Amino acid sequence: MTSEGPQRPPAVVRVADLVARGLIAPEAAPAIERVTQDFSLRITADMAAAIDPADPADPIARQFVPGTAELDIAPEEVADPIGDGVHEIAPGLIRRYPDRALLKPTHLCQVYCRFCFRRETVGGDPGLGDAELAAALDRIRAEPGLFEVILSGGDPLVLSDRRIGRILEALDAIEHVGVIRFHTRVPVVDPARITPAFLDLLDLRAAVWFVLHVNHASELTENARKSIRALTRAGVPLLAQTVLLKGINDDAAVLEDLFRSLVALRVKPYYLHHLDRARGTGHFRTSLAEGRSLMRTLRGRLTGIAQPTYMLDIPGGYGKVPVGPDYVASAGPGLYRVTDPQGATHDYRDGSDGGPD
Ligand SMILES: *Cc1c(COP(=O)(O)O)cnc(C)c1O
C-alpha cells in the first residue's frame, strides 16, 4: 500500500450527487443548493454506502445530508458558538487552558456534519499555509506550559502523510509537549486512510492519542472497525466523543448501543457534548434536562467504562464543563443528600469522624 492508500470510490460533493443516489428528491435540489452555499457538503463513499435511502430517519443521512431546516437561524445561534476567536493566540492556534492548545492546520473535512459548531469556517479556505504553520509551531515551542497539543480543524487526517509527518516531527522535538491528541472522524468515515504508512508516523517519543467523533453505532461499519483495530494494534489509546443529537441519538437504547460498541472496540467514550449553538442547527438540539435525564438512565444500566461525561461548552469561550446529572446536593453543614442510580435519596454525613465539617 502506498501512503495515499488504495483507489477510493467518489464521495458525494454536489447536490446532483445527492439526487442521483436517491438521498434527496429532485424537486428539493434548488432549496438544498441554497443550503450548501452557506454550509459545505461532503459525504464519503463509505458513509454514503451505509445510508439506507428508504429510511427517512436514517441516522447517518440525518448527520450528513443537508436539509432546508438549516436555513432556520434562531436569534441565539451564532457563527462562533464556543468563542474560538477569543482565544486564538496565533493563526490556527487556540489556547483556552494553561496546559493544552488546539492546532487547526486545516479547515477541510472528509464529511461535513450538518450540526458542526465550526460550520462557518470549514470547507472553504483550506487552512494554514507553511509560514503560518511554522509560526504556530514557534509559539508552541515558546510556551513551556503547553503539555498537550490537540490537532483538530477541520479534520487533521485530510492532510497528506507528508504534511502530518512534518507537524508530528516538529511537535515531538518540543520537549515540553508530552501528548499529541488527534480529534478526527476519518477512521470511521474514511477508514482506508488508516494505512500502515500512516500508523508508522504515530510511533513517537510523545504519546499520540486519538479522539474519534462517533454519534451512532451504525457509523461503525466493518471497514471502520478494521481501521479502529489497526489503531489499537499500533498502541494508540482511543477515546470517543459524541454529540447529543435530537432524532439521531437522544435515546437511552441508542446511546447504550453506541457506547457498548465502542468499548467492545477498545474505545473509551470520553465526552457526550451538548449541542453548541451554531447557526441553523436548532432541529438537532435537545434540552439540558433531556441530556441529564438520559445520562441518569445510562448510569443505572451501562458499565462504568462506557460512561462518557456530559459536557457543555459555555457560549462565549468560557470553556467546557460537566453538566451532570448531579447525584449530590448540599443539605446543611457537613450534610449531603445523595441520589442512587434508582432515584432514591440517602443522607451522607461528611468528615471521617461522622460529625460536621
Ligand atoms: C475542547 C477544547 C480543548 C480540549 O478540552 P479537554 O477537556 O481537555 O478535552 C482544548 N482547547 C480548546 C480550545 C478546546 O476547545
Side-chain angles (χ1 to χ4, degrees):
M1 240 182 276
T2 70
S3 66
E4 299 308 319
Q7 196 65 42
R8 295 176 224 171
V12 172
V13 293
R14 296 173 316 144
V15 173
D17 302 332
L18 292 171
V19 176
R21 288 175 180 255
L23 296 174
I24 61 165
E27 55 275 18
I32 299 298
E33 286 284 3
R34 276 205 304 282
V35 175
T36 59
Q37 277 159 21
D38 282 355
F39 305 117
S40 304
L41 162 66
R42 195 170 199 283
I43 312 175
T44 56
D46 276 80
M47 283 298 102
I51 294 173
D52 173 6
D55 177 4
D58 184 276
I60 297 180
R62 289 218 167 158
Q63 292 183 64
F64 303 130
V65 176
T68 50
E70 294 172 53
L71 297 170
D72 301 334
I73 316 264
E76 71 276 13
E77 292 175 347
V78 293
D80 178 15
I82 73 164
D84 277 351
V86 184
H87 297 286
E88 193 157 18
I89 59 171
L93 189 65
I94 300 164
R95 186 186 198 179
R96 282 203 300 200
Y97 306 101
D99 76 334
R100 56 208 192 277
L102 218 66
L103 176 60
K104 303 191 294 179
T106 177
H107 294 316
L108 305 181
C109 293
Q110 281 292 350
V111 284
Y112 292 108
C113 303
R114 307 323 302 170
F115 47 86
C116 176
F117 69 98
R118 294 208 181 100
R119 58 193 330 228
E120 310 278 344
T121 50
V122 294
D125 134 54
L128 299 186
D130 287 342
E132 286 169 316
L133 183 58
L137 291 166
D138 282 345
R139 186 65 194 265
I140 294 167
R141 215 171 276 123
E143 297 281 346
L146 284 179
F147 163 72
E148 182 179 18
V149 175
I150 301 168
L151 295 173
S152 178
D155 194 313
L157 266 65
V158 305
L159 300 174
S160 68
D161 280 358
R162 204 158 55 98
R163 198 160 173 81
I164 294 176
R166 282 215 305 268
I167 295 171
L168 290 178
E169 199 182 336
L171 291 174
D172 200 42
I174 303 172
E175 220 171 299
H176 58 259
V177 174
V179 172
I180 302 168
R181 182 193 333 172
F182 282 86
H183 271 249
T184 178
R185 234 169 174 333
V186 161
V188 170
V189 303
D190 184 27
R193 176 69 184 84
I194 308 304
T195 60
F198 173 72
L199 294 171
D200 280 347
L201 300 175
L202 309 179
D203 186 16
L204 301 173
R205 170 200 60 82
V208 176
W209 287 62
F210 267 54
V211 180
L212 306 177
H213 295 200
V214 194
N215 299 317
H216 195 282
S218 60
E219 293 165 49
L220 298 168
T221 61
E222 200 177 315
N223 287 339
R225 288 166 189 263
K226 279 187 192 147
S227 84
I228 290 170
R229 185 75 183 112
L231 283 161
T232 59
R233 223 183 258 125
V236 178
L238 295 181
L239 304 172
Q241 71 168 38
T242 297
V243 183
L244 184 59
L245 296 164
K246 188 162 145 186
I248 294 174
N249 62 17
D250 62 333
D251 176 279
V254 169
L255 290 175
E256 220 180 320
D257 183 25
L258 171 63
F259 298 147
R260 275 220 182 85
S261 302
L262 287 167
V263 290
L265 288 164
R266 301 170 167 81
V267 182
K268 163 82 184 102
Y270 174 52
Y271 283 166
L272 175 68
H273 287 282
H274 190 71
L275 185 68
D276 295 313
R277 289 187 181 146
R279 294 196 310 135
T281 59
H283 52 299
F284 289 118
R285 193 158 295 108
T286 61
S287 65
L288 269 181
E290 288 163 319
R292 286 158 60 98
S293 159
L294 281 165
M295 288 301 295
R296 196 181 284 283
T297 304
L298 293 182
R299 177 54 64 184
R301 58 193 223 201
L302 178 66
T303 167
I305 63 173
Q307 306 269 351
T309 306
Y310 182 36
M311 300 295 282
L312 175 70
D313 214 315
I314 307 167
Y318 300 102
K320 293 183 190 72
V321 287
V323 282
D326 306 318
Y327 296 92
V328 180
S330 189
L335 185 65
Y336 295 93
R337 191 140 302 142
V338 187
T339 306
D340 70 28
Q342 282 68 45
T345 56
H346 310 272
D347 282 350
Y348 181 82
R349 192 162 288 286
D350 206 14
S352 54
D353 62 353
D357 286 338

